[in-house]
Amino acid sequence: MRSLLFFFLALVFCTSVRAQNSGVQLDGVTGSISLCDTDDFAIGNGFTLEAWIFASEWKAEAWQGSIINKDQQGPDAGFAFRAGKNGILSMVMSVNETWFEVVTNPIMNANQWYHVAAVVNGAVLTLYINGEAQTSGTFTGTPTSNTKLVNIGASPSFPGRVWNGAIDEVRIWNVARTPAEIDANQMTSLTGSETGLVTYLPMNEGSGLVTTNLADAACEGTFNGLTESAWVDGYAVPPVDVGISAVSAPDVL
């Protein structure tokens, strides 16, 4: 009897957790989520972007698969965090109105969840996949900002650069997160009040056309070209390590 009761409680608990764990499916054509524009999104000496991504299909080029973008051209300004071309992760940022880019090797698979991060620490830009630093580059000059809205899953200035797949757990920081912090917290939920956290979208609503920003209620995420059917199951912690050494392990939709 005790075993039966334990099984029932475990089933109820697991079901409730699953119901609260959602993400957003982008269609690869026009859909996106837009945030506001604040000075917090201007890259300074410290800046970090994070998200869990799931590519239904890779775009032909990395610059076509927008994850978190605030880019414009003429003059070049802002940044674009994107992926494509058989699993390449890329980050481009404007430095003195000229694009500076860092890219990884094509090590991600389609139809599989990955945690991706880009960290600007002083004059160094580093890209991470599943908590492990993959590549970095050094730039000279001052990052150039703009007044475009931050877009999740699309570019605010370049039509057609849209993510084809799901995105979950978007985080933007105006500080440089350390390698240890990136690794330790990639699968940890936050409160929204962490130091330096300016955007936190857990995306756990599962319904509606708005997703709450726990770090800034005035800068919520608004659906564009998406319906409520865009809500899908989000990233779930797998039973095995998700390091790059076990790249086939992350949860699959």
Side-chain angles (χ1 to χ4, degrees), residues 51-53 89 107-108 112-117 127-134 182-184 186-187 235 241-250:
W52 278 95
I53 62 171
L89 183 65
I107 59 178
M108 295 185 291
Q112 190 171 308
W113 282 104
Y114 293 91
H115 178 267
V116 294
L127 299 183
Y128 295 78
I129 299 176
N130 287 349
E132 297 185 14
Q134 300 301 310
I182 294 292
D183 184 40
Q186 58 181 311
M187 292 181 285
Y235 171 76
D241 182 22
V242 296
I244 287 298
S245 60
V247 78
S248 63

Side-chain angles (χ1 to χ4, degrees), residues 75-198:
D76 298 339
F79 61 83
F81 192 34
R82 60 270 182 102
K85 199 173 184 179
N86 297 317
I88 288 175
L89 183 65
S90 163
M91 170 75 169
V92 65
M93 56 182 285
S94 174
V95 179
N96 294 342
E97 299 185 354
T98 299
W99 293 121
F100 168 77
E101 184 180 23
V102 173
V103 299
T104 71
N105 292 322
I107 59 178
M108 295 185 291
N109 300 322
N111 298 308
Q112 190 171 308
W113 282 104
Y114 293 91
H115 178 267
V116 294
V119 178
V120 177
N121 188 358
V124 179
L125 170 59
T126 304
L127 299 183
Y128 295 78
I129 299 176
N130 287 349
E132 297 185 14
Q134 300 301 310
T135 187
S136 63
T138 302
F139 59 87
T140 301
T142 303
T144 311
S145 61
N146 61 43
T147 58
K148 297 291 184 180
L149 300 181
V150 169
N151 273 214
I152 309 300
S155 166
S157 303
F158 299 90
R161 299 186 182 185
V162 183
W163 183 253
N164 184 4
I167 295 179
D168 194 9
E169 283 283 323
V170 172
R171 305 171 182 182
I172 303 177
W173 310 72
N174 61 9
V175 295
R177 297 286 280 174
T178 68
E181 289 170 333
I182 294 292
D183 184 40
N185 295 289
Q186 58 181 311
M187 292 181 285
T188 302
S189 295
L190 306 178
T191 65
S193 61
E194 288 77 6
T195 301
L197 185 62
V198 296

Side-chain angles (χ1 to χ4, degrees), residues 222-253:
T222 303
F223 283 26
N224 300 308
L226 298 172
T227 65
E228 285 191 301
S229 63
W231 291 106
V232 295
D233 287 344
Y235 171 76
V237 178
V240 294
D241 182 22
V242 296
I244 287 298
S245 60
V247 78
S248 63
D251 188 34
V252 176
L253 281 175

